[in-house]
Amino acid sequence: SAVISQKPSRDICQRGTSLTIQCQVDSQVTMMFWYRQQPGQSLTLIATANQGSEATYESGFVIDKFPISRPNLTFSTLTVSNMSPEDSSIYLCSTRFNSQETQYFGPGTRLLVL
Amino acid sequence: QKEVEQNSGPLSVPEGAIASLNCTYSDRGSQSFFWYRQYSGKSPELIMFIYSNGDKEDGRFTAQLNKASQYVSLLIRDSQPSDSATYLCAVNNPGAGSYQLTFGKGTKLSVIP
């Protein structure tokens, strides 16, 4: 597996603002995934980001709230827009390598919205 | 609605014992099954994956799969305090091109020294 990094590792934000989270992989990958893990909960897939196409969002998540960019095969961003305290969560990016189904996760971004 | 069910625990076992973690899934078409370990404040780390019925062993870990019963388990032999973590079961979604995973809520394991 390759190395996956995320920035920022944590942040405290005011309600109504937006935060962009970056995910960098040290090798080229086709699919990148963005998950949310709310306190005490499991992982919920927000969207799948493929390079060169629009992200595919899961039920309950919309592009206006969570816009995603995928400018190349090693990088993606997730923006959490117009934040409220309910957006306080850990946001994780993950990817697959070499057509394997196994997903590997970045270290996560811990977001607290006040 | 695809579901992956796990007992939330906490599951407490003494050091050196066998910890048994269980998971059931609803989609009979699922083909790939994964166990992740998540330490508090950290991201999930892959422990094992299994595709075929039966047992798969890797060191102190054994994954067991029974597709007929839609059941997958993880056994940890000679449990160590460092194994204390939340264990997440994940199952692929065949209807979504098989690359998406559905995660259970996790079982919190505590290994008592």
Side-chain angles (χ1 to χ4, degrees), chain A residues 19-38:
Chain A
L19 176 72
T20 295
I21 302 167
Q22 300 178 9
C23 180
Q24 179 78 51
V25 185
D26 71 352
S27 64
Q28 294 185 338
V29 294
T30 302
M31 291 182 173
M32 295 179 75
F33 306 92
W34 286 99
Y35 287 85
R36 179 175 73 183
Q37 187 175 30
Q38 294 180 304

Side-chain angles (χ1 to χ4, degrees), chain A:
Chain A
S1 62
V3 175
I4 306 171
S5 59
Q6 284 186 236
K7 288 195 290 187
S9 59
R10 60 179 67 240
D11 208 340
I12 301 174
C13 300
Q14 297 297 317
R15 71 170 63 216
T17 63
S18 298
L19 176 72
T20 295
I21 302 167
Q22 300 178 9
C23 180
Q24 179 78 51
V25 185
D26 71 352
S27 64
Q28 294 185 338
V29 294
T30 302
M31 291 182 173
M32 295 179 75
F33 306 92
W34 286 99
Y35 287 85
R36 179 175 73 183
Q37 187 175 30
Q38 294 180 304
Q41 301 298 312
S42 189
L43 283 73
T44 301
L45 181 63
I46 297 172
T48 302
N50 292 329
Q51 195 270 335
S53 63
E54 293 289 324
T56 302
Y57 289 82
E58 297 303 303
S59 176
F61 298 97
V62 294
I63 187 172
D64 290 347
K65 175 67 175 178
F66 297 101
I68 288 171
S69 77
R70 184 77 202 276
N72 57 53
L73 290 174
T74 64
F75 187 78
S76 179
T77 68
L78 170 75
T79 299
V80 186
S81 302
N82 188 26
M83 288 184 286
S84 67
E86 290 72 34
D87 294 319
S88 298
S89 187
I90 300 173
Y91 292 86
L92 295 148
C93 70
S94 75
T95 190
R96 304 162 64 212
F97 299 100
N98 301 327
S99 301
Q100 298 175 26
E101 293 186 44
T102 306
Q103 289 187 25
Y104 297 90
F105 287 86
T109 296
R110 285 147 187 80
L111 171 63
L112 177 62
V113 183
L114 302 177

Side-chain angles (χ1 to χ4, degrees), chain B residues 6-80:
Chain B
Q6 294 181 256
N7 188 326
S8 62
L11 173 66
S12 295
V13 299
E15 183 174 357
I18 296 175
S20 178
L21 306 164
N22 304 315
C23 172
T24 59
Y25 58 96
S26 63
D27 192 331
R28 192 169 285 278
S30 295
Q31 296 294 323
S32 306
F33 308 88
F34 306 87
W35 284 100
Y36 288 84
R37 176 177 62 197
Q38 187 174 26
Y39 291 115
S40 180
K42 301 295 185 181
S43 65
E45 171 192 11
L46 181 71
I47 298 229
M48 290 194 71
F49 59 88
I50 185 168
Y51 301 142
S52 303
N53 275 330
D55 295 0
K56 179 181 179 182
E57 185 174 322
D58 184 1
R60 295 187 296 113
F61 299 95
T62 299
Q64 299 176 317
L65 175 61
N66 184 327
K67 291 184 180 179
S69 301
Q70 295 175 242
Y71 176 92
V72 58
S73 65
L74 179 70
L75 300 178
I76 306 175
R77 291 181 299 281
D78 189 23
S79 296
Q80 301 297 309

